mmCIF file with all atom_site columns, all heavy atoms in Angstrom:
data_model
loop_
_atom_site.group_PDB
_atom_site.id
_atom_site.type_symbol
_atom_site.label_atom_id
_atom_site.label_alt_id
_atom_site.label_comp_id
_atom_site.label_asym_id
_atom_site.label_entity_id
_atom_site.label_seq_id
_atom_site.pdbx_PDB_ins_code
_atom_site.Cartn_x
_atom_site.Cartn_y
_atom_site.Cartn_z
_atom_site.occupancy
_atom_site.B_iso_or_equiv
_atom_site.pdbx_formal_charge
_atom_site.auth_seq_id
_atom_site.auth_comp_id
_atom_site.auth_asym_id
_atom_site.auth_atom_id
_atom_site.pdbx_PDB_model_num
ATOM 1   N N   . VAL A 1 11  ? -5.444  12.646 0.676   1.00 98.00 ? 11  VAL A N   1
ATOM 2   C CA  . VAL A 1 11  ? -4.415  11.642 0.404   1.00 98.00 ? 11  VAL A CA  1
ATOM 3   C C   . VAL A 1 11  ? -4.914  10.692 -0.679  1.00 98.00 ? 11  VAL A C   1
ATOM 4   O O   . VAL A 1 11  ? -6.116  10.530 -0.882  1.00 98.00 ? 11  VAL A O   1
ATOM 5   C CB  . VAL A 1 11  ? -4.032  10.833 1.661   1.00 98.00 ? 11  VAL A CB  1
ATOM 6   C CG1 . VAL A 1 11  ? -3.402  11.724 2.719   1.00 98.00 ? 11  VAL A CG1 1
ATOM 7   C CG2 . VAL A 1 11  ? -5.232  10.089 2.216   1.00 98.00 ? 11  VAL A CG2 1
ATOM 8   N N   . ARG A 1 12  ? -3.960  10.069 -1.341  1.00 98.00 ? 12  ARG A N   1
ATOM 9   C CA  . ARG A 1 12  ? -4.254  9.085  -2.375  1.00 98.00 ? 12  ARG A CA  1
ATOM 10  C C   . ARG A 1 12  ? -3.527  7.796  -1.981  1.00 98.00 ? 12  ARG A C   1
ATOM 11  O O   . ARG A 1 12  ? -2.332  7.832  -1.650  1.00 98.00 ? 12  ARG A O   1
ATOM 12  C CB  . ARG A 1 12  ? -3.763  9.616  -3.721  1.00 98.00 ? 12  ARG A CB  1
ATOM 13  C CG  . ARG A 1 12  ? -4.032  8.720  -4.935  1.00 98.00 ? 12  ARG A CG  1
ATOM 14  C CD  . ARG A 1 12  ? -3.685  9.496  -6.195  1.00 98.00 ? 12  ARG A CD  1
ATOM 15  N NE  . ARG A 1 12  ? -3.533  8.643  -7.369  1.00 98.00 ? 12  ARG A NE  1
ATOM 16  C CZ  . ARG A 1 12  ? -4.255  8.760  -8.485  1.00 98.00 ? 12  ARG A CZ  1
ATOM 17  N NH1 . ARG A 1 12  ? -5.174  9.710  -8.572  1.00 98.00 ? 12  ARG A NH1 1
ATOM 18  N NH2 . ARG A 1 12  ? -4.050  7.961  -9.512  1.00 98.00 ? 12  ARG A NH2 1
ATOM 19  N N   . VAL A 1 13  ? -4.261  6.687  -1.999  1.00 98.00 ? 13  VAL A N   1
ATOM 20  C CA  . VAL A 1 13  ? -3.703  5.406  -1.579  1.00 98.00 ? 13  VAL A CA  1
ATOM 21  C C   . VAL A 1 13  ? -3.794  4.430  -2.746  1.00 98.00 ? 13  VAL A C   1
ATOM 22  O O   . VAL A 1 13  ? -4.851  4.311  -3.379  1.00 98.00 ? 13  VAL A O   1
ATOM 23  C CB  . VAL A 1 13  ? -4.461  4.852  -0.351  1.00 98.00 ? 13  VAL A CB  1
ATOM 24  C CG1 . VAL A 1 13  ? -3.755  3.623  0.185   1.00 98.00 ? 13  VAL A CG1 1
ATOM 25  C CG2 . VAL A 1 13  ? -4.580  5.907  0.746   1.00 98.00 ? 13  VAL A CG2 1
ATOM 26  N N   . GLU A 1 14  ? -2.706  3.744  -3.029  1.00 98.00 ? 14  GLU A N   1
ATOM 27  C CA  . GLU A 1 14  ? -2.666  2.826  -4.170  1.00 98.00 ? 14  GLU A CA  1
ATOM 28  C C   . GLU A 1 14  ? -2.203  1.439  -3.727  1.00 98.00 ? 14  GLU A C   1
ATOM 29  O O   . GLU A 1 14  ? -1.314  1.308  -2.881  1.00 98.00 ? 14  GLU A O   1
ATOM 30  C CB  . GLU A 1 14  ? -1.736  3.377  -5.251  1.00 98.00 ? 14  GLU A CB  1
ATOM 31  C CG  . GLU A 1 14  ? -2.152  4.759  -5.741  1.00 98.00 ? 14  GLU A CG  1
ATOM 32  C CD  . GLU A 1 14  ? -1.314  5.260  -6.904  1.00 98.00 ? 14  GLU A CD  1
ATOM 33  O OE1 . GLU A 1 14  ? -0.986  4.436  -7.785  1.00 98.00 ? 14  GLU A OE1 1
ATOM 34  O OE2 . GLU A 1 14  ? -1.000  6.461  -6.933  1.00 98.00 ? 14  GLU A OE2 1
ATOM 35  N N   . LYS A 1 18  ? -4.909  -0.421 -8.015  1.00 98.00 ? 18  LYS A N   1
ATOM 36  C CA  . LYS A 1 18  ? -6.152  0.275  -7.685  1.00 98.00 ? 18  LYS A CA  1
ATOM 37  C C   . LYS A 1 18  ? -5.835  1.553  -6.910  1.00 98.00 ? 18  LYS A C   1
ATOM 38  O O   . LYS A 1 18  ? -4.852  1.621  -6.166  1.00 98.00 ? 18  LYS A O   1
ATOM 39  C CB  . LYS A 1 18  ? -7.076  -0.618 -6.855  1.00 98.00 ? 18  LYS A CB  1
ATOM 40  C CG  . LYS A 1 18  ? -7.564  -1.860 -7.591  1.00 98.00 ? 18  LYS A CG  1
ATOM 41  C CD  . LYS A 1 18  ? -8.544  -1.496 -8.689  1.00 98.00 ? 18  LYS A CD  1
ATOM 42  C CE  . LYS A 1 18  ? -9.177  -2.726 -9.309  1.00 98.00 ? 18  LYS A CE  1
ATOM 43  N NZ  . LYS A 1 18  ? -10.173 -2.382 -10.353 1.00 98.00 ? 18  LYS A NZ  1
ATOM 44  N N   . VAL A 1 19  ? -6.705  2.558  -7.089  1.00 98.00 ? 19  VAL A N   1
ATOM 45  C CA  . VAL A 1 19  ? -6.474  3.870  -6.485  1.00 98.00 ? 19  VAL A CA  1
ATOM 46  C C   . VAL A 1 19  ? -7.682  4.302  -5.671  1.00 98.00 ? 19  VAL A C   1
ATOM 47  O O   . VAL A 1 19  ? -8.819  4.301  -6.165  1.00 98.00 ? 19  VAL A O   1
ATOM 48  C CB  . VAL A 1 19  ? -6.184  4.936  -7.567  1.00 98.00 ? 19  VAL A CB  1
ATOM 49  C CG1 . VAL A 1 19  ? -6.024  6.311  -6.940  1.00 98.00 ? 19  VAL A CG1 1
ATOM 50  C CG2 . VAL A 1 19  ? -4.941  4.562  -8.359  1.00 98.00 ? 19  VAL A CG2 1
ATOM 51  N N   . LEU A 1 20  ? -7.439  4.692  -4.429  1.00 98.00 ? 20  LEU A N   1
ATOM 52  C CA  . LEU A 1 20  ? -8.483  5.191  -3.533  1.00 98.00 ? 20  LEU A CA  1
ATOM 53  C C   . LEU A 1 20  ? -8.051  6.566  -3.034  1.00 98.00 ? 20  LEU A C   1
ATOM 54  O O   . LEU A 1 20  ? -6.895  6.742  -2.627  1.00 98.00 ? 20  LEU A O   1
ATOM 55  C CB  . LEU A 1 20  ? -8.681  4.216  -2.376  1.00 98.00 ? 20  LEU A CB  1
ATOM 56  C CG  . LEU A 1 20  ? -9.790  4.524  -1.367  1.00 98.00 ? 20  LEU A CG  1
ATOM 57  C CD1 . LEU A 1 20  ? -10.343 3.223  -0.788  1.00 98.00 ? 20  LEU A CD1 1
ATOM 58  C CD2 . LEU A 1 20  ? -9.283  5.395  -0.217  1.00 98.00 ? 20  LEU A CD2 1
ATOM 59  N N   . VAL A 1 21  ? -8.961  7.535  -3.078  1.00 98.00 ? 21  VAL A N   1
ATOM 60  C CA  . VAL A 1 21  ? -8.669  8.905  -2.665  1.00 98.00 ? 21  VAL A CA  1
ATOM 61  C C   . VAL A 1 21  ? -9.550  9.269  -1.478  1.00 98.00 ? 21  VAL A C   1
ATOM 62  O O   . VAL A 1 21  ? -10.745 8.963  -1.464  1.00 98.00 ? 21  VAL A O   1
ATOM 63  C CB  . VAL A 1 21  ? -8.908  9.896  -3.824  1.00 98.00 ? 21  VAL A CB  1
ATOM 64  C CG1 . VAL A 1 21  ? -8.653  11.331 -3.370  1.00 98.00 ? 21  VAL A CG1 1
ATOM 65  C CG2 . VAL A 1 21  ? -8.017  9.554  -5.015  1.00 98.00 ? 21  VAL A CG2 1
ATOM 66  N N   . ILE A 1 22  ? -8.946  9.918  -0.487  1.00 98.00 ? 22  ILE A N   1
ATOM 67  C CA  . ILE A 1 22  ? -9.693  10.348 0.696   1.00 98.00 ? 22  ILE A CA  1
ATOM 68  C C   . ILE A 1 22  ? -9.729  11.869 0.756   1.00 98.00 ? 22  ILE A C   1
ATOM 69  O O   . ILE A 1 22  ? -8.700  12.536 0.642   1.00 98.00 ? 22  ILE A O   1
ATOM 70  C CB  . ILE A 1 22  ? -9.075  9.803  1.997   1.00 98.00 ? 22  ILE A CB  1
ATOM 71  C CG1 . ILE A 1 22  ? -8.879  8.287  1.912   1.00 98.00 ? 22  ILE A CG1 1
ATOM 72  C CG2 . ILE A 1 22  ? -9.963  10.152 3.188   1.00 98.00 ? 22  ILE A CG2 1
ATOM 73  C CD1 . ILE A 1 22  ? -8.204  7.683  3.140   1.00 98.00 ? 22  ILE A CD1 1
ATOM 74  N N   . ALA A 1 36  ? -8.717  7.342  -10.405 1.00 97.00 ? 36  ALA A N   1
ATOM 75  C CA  . ALA A 1 36  ? -9.216  6.848  -9.121  1.00 97.00 ? 36  ALA A CA  1
ATOM 76  C C   . ALA A 1 36  ? -10.351 5.844  -9.313  1.00 97.00 ? 36  ALA A C   1
ATOM 77  O O   . ALA A 1 36  ? -11.195 6.005  -10.199 1.00 97.00 ? 36  ALA A O   1
ATOM 78  C CB  . ALA A 1 36  ? -9.692  8.005  -8.261  1.00 97.00 ? 36  ALA A CB  1
ATOM 79  N N   . ASP A 1 37  ? -10.366 4.820  -8.485  1.00 98.00 ? 37  ASP A N   1
ATOM 80  C CA  . ASP A 1 37  ? -11.432 3.822  -8.494  1.00 98.00 ? 37  ASP A CA  1
ATOM 81  C C   . ASP A 1 37  ? -12.482 4.098  -7.421  1.00 98.00 ? 37  ASP A C   1
ATOM 82  O O   . ASP A 1 37  ? -13.648 3.733  -7.581  1.00 98.00 ? 37  ASP A O   1
ATOM 83  C CB  . ASP A 1 37  ? -10.835 2.426  -8.256  1.00 98.00 ? 37  ASP A CB  1
ATOM 84  C CG  . ASP A 1 37  ? -9.844  2.040  -9.336  1.00 98.00 ? 37  ASP A CG  1
ATOM 85  O OD1 . ASP A 1 37  ? -10.297 1.745  -10.458 1.00 98.00 ? 37  ASP A OD1 1
ATOM 86  O OD2 . ASP A 1 37  ? -8.626  2.051  -9.073  1.00 98.00 ? 37  ASP A OD2 1
ATOM 87  N N   . ALA A 1 38  ? -12.062 4.723  -6.331  1.00 98.00 ? 38  ALA A N   1
ATOM 88  C CA  . ALA A 1 38  ? -12.987 4.973  -5.224  1.00 98.00 ? 38  ALA A CA  1
ATOM 89  C C   . ALA A 1 38  ? -12.565 6.230  -4.468  1.00 98.00 ? 38  ALA A C   1
ATOM 90  O O   . ALA A 1 38  ? -11.387 6.620  -4.474  1.00 98.00 ? 38  ALA A O   1
ATOM 91  C CB  . ALA A 1 38  ? -13.023 3.784  -4.274  1.00 98.00 ? 38  ALA A CB  1
ATOM 92  N N   . VAL A 1 39  ? -13.547 6.855  -3.828  1.00 98.00 ? 39  VAL A N   1
ATOM 93  C CA  . VAL A 1 39  ? -13.321 8.039  -2.998  1.00 98.00 ? 39  VAL A CA  1
ATOM 94  C C   . VAL A 1 39  ? -14.016 7.835  -1.662  1.00 98.00 ? 39  VAL A C   1
ATOM 95  O O   . VAL A 1 39  ? -15.168 7.379  -1.611  1.00 98.00 ? 39  VAL A O   1
ATOM 96  C CB  . VAL A 1 39  ? -13.857 9.321  -3.676  1.00 98.00 ? 39  VAL A CB  1
ATOM 97  C CG1 . VAL A 1 39  ? -13.837 10.494 -2.710  1.00 98.00 ? 39  VAL A CG1 1
ATOM 98  C CG2 . VAL A 1 39  ? -13.033 9.658  -4.906  1.00 98.00 ? 39  VAL A CG2 1
ATOM 99  N N   . LEU A 1 40  ? -13.331 8.184  -0.590  1.00 98.00 ? 40  LEU A N   1
ATOM 100 C CA  . LEU A 1 40  ? -13.921 8.210  0.749   1.00 98.00 ? 40  LEU A CA  1
ATOM 101 C C   . LEU A 1 40  ? -13.975 9.666  1.192   1.00 98.00 ? 40  LEU A C   1
ATOM 102 O O   . LEU A 1 40  ? -12.985 10.393 1.064   1.00 98.00 ? 40  LEU A O   1
ATOM 103 C CB  . LEU A 1 40  ? -13.084 7.403  1.740   1.00 98.00 ? 40  LEU A CB  1
ATOM 104 C CG  . LEU A 1 40  ? -12.712 5.969  1.359   1.00 98.00 ? 40  LEU A CG  1
ATOM 105 C CD1 . LEU A 1 40  ? -11.888 5.327  2.477   1.00 98.00 ? 40  LEU A CD1 1
ATOM 106 C CD2 . LEU A 1 40  ? -13.949 5.145  1.056   1.00 98.00 ? 40  LEU A CD2 1
ATOM 107 N N   . THR A 1 91  ? -13.937 -1.821 -1.286  1.00 98.00 ? 91  THR A N   1
ATOM 108 C CA  . THR A 1 91  ? -13.943 -0.939 -2.445  1.00 98.00 ? 91  THR A CA  1
ATOM 109 C C   . THR A 1 91  ? -12.518 -0.798 -2.979  1.00 98.00 ? 91  THR A C   1
ATOM 110 O O   . THR A 1 91  ? -11.561 -0.695 -2.199  1.00 98.00 ? 91  THR A O   1
ATOM 111 C CB  . THR A 1 91  ? -14.526 0.456  -2.101  1.00 98.00 ? 91  THR A CB  1
ATOM 112 O OG1 . THR A 1 91  ? -14.640 1.225  -3.292  1.00 98.00 ? 91  THR A OG1 1
ATOM 113 C CG2 . THR A 1 91  ? -13.691 1.209  -1.087  1.00 98.00 ? 91  THR A CG2 1
ATOM 114 N N   . ALA A 1 92  ? -12.386 -0.849 -4.288  1.00 98.00 ? 92  ALA A N   1
ATOM 115 C CA  . ALA A 1 92  ? -11.094 -0.689 -4.965  1.00 98.00 ? 92  ALA A CA  1
ATOM 116 C C   . ALA A 1 92  ? -10.035 -1.640 -4.411  1.00 98.00 ? 92  ALA A C   1
ATOM 117 O O   . ALA A 1 92  ? -8.845  -1.307 -4.368  1.00 98.00 ? 92  ALA A O   1
ATOM 118 C CB  . ALA A 1 92  ? -10.613 0.754  -4.868  1.00 98.00 ? 92  ALA A CB  1
ATOM 119 N N   . PHE A 1 94  ? -9.702  -2.578 -1.331  1.00 98.00 ? 94  PHE A N   1
ATOM 120 C CA  . PHE A 1 94  ? -9.417  -2.289 0.070   1.00 98.00 ? 94  PHE A CA  1
ATOM 121 C C   . PHE A 1 94  ? -10.583 -2.741 0.947   1.00 98.00 ? 94  PHE A C   1
ATOM 122 O O   . PHE A 1 94  ? -11.744 -2.589 0.561   1.00 98.00 ? 94  PHE A O   1
ATOM 123 C CB  . PHE A 1 94  ? -9.206  -0.789 0.293   1.00 98.00 ? 94  PHE A CB  1
ATOM 124 C CG  . PHE A 1 94  ? -7.974  -0.233 -0.355  1.00 98.00 ? 94  PHE A CG  1
ATOM 125 C CD1 . PHE A 1 94  ? -8.001  0.216  -1.676  1.00 98.00 ? 94  PHE A CD1 1
ATOM 126 C CD2 . PHE A 1 94  ? -6.786  -0.141 0.344   1.00 98.00 ? 94  PHE A CD2 1
ATOM 127 C CE1 . PHE A 1 94  ? -6.874  0.737  -2.281  1.00 98.00 ? 94  PHE A CE1 1
ATOM 128 C CE2 . PHE A 1 94  ? -5.644  0.381  -0.253  1.00 98.00 ? 94  PHE A CE2 1
ATOM 129 C CZ  . PHE A 1 94  ? -5.688  0.818  -1.564  1.00 98.00 ? 94  PHE A CZ  1
ATOM 130 N N   . VAL A 1 96  ? -12.520 -1.670 4.190   1.00 98.00 ? 96  VAL A N   1
ATOM 131 C CA  . VAL A 1 96  ? -12.657 -0.407 4.914   1.00 98.00 ? 96  VAL A CA  1
ATOM 132 C C   . VAL A 1 96  ? -13.636 -0.561 6.068   1.00 98.00 ? 96  VAL A C   1
ATOM 133 O O   . VAL A 1 96  ? -14.712 -1.141 5.913   1.00 98.00 ? 96  VAL A O   1
ATOM 134 C CB  . VAL A 1 96  ? -13.144 0.720  3.974   1.00 98.00 ? 96  VAL A CB  1
ATOM 135 C CG1 . VAL A 1 96  ? -13.155 2.056  4.708   1.00 98.00 ? 96  VAL A CG1 1
ATOM 136 C CG2 . VAL A 1 96  ? -12.266 0.806  2.727   1.00 98.00 ? 96  VAL A CG2 1
ATOM 137 N N   . LEU A 1 120 ? -8.368  1.576  6.625   1.00 98.00 ? 120 LEU A N   1
ATOM 138 C CA  . LEU A 1 120 ? -8.131  0.788  5.417   1.00 98.00 ? 120 LEU A CA  1
ATOM 139 C C   . LEU A 1 120 ? -7.257  -0.425 5.722   1.00 98.00 ? 120 LEU A C   1
ATOM 140 O O   . LEU A 1 120 ? -6.148  -0.273 6.283   1.00 98.00 ? 120 LEU A O   1
ATOM 141 C CB  . LEU A 1 120 ? -7.422  1.643  4.354   1.00 98.00 ? 120 LEU A CB  1
ATOM 142 C CG  . LEU A 1 120 ? -8.286  2.572  3.491   1.00 98.00 ? 120 LEU A CG  1
ATOM 143 C CD1 . LEU A 1 120 ? -9.000  3.626  4.327   1.00 98.00 ? 120 LEU A CD1 1
ATOM 144 C CD2 . LEU A 1 120 ? -7.407  3.238  2.433   1.00 98.00 ? 120 LEU A CD2 1
#
Side-chain angles (χ1 to χ4, degrees):
V11 296
R12 182 171 163 121
V13 188
E14 302 185 39
K18 296 290 187 178
V19 177
L20 183 150
V21 178
I22 308 177
D37 299 287
V39 170
L40 308 180
T91 186
F94 293 87
V96 185
L120 278 62

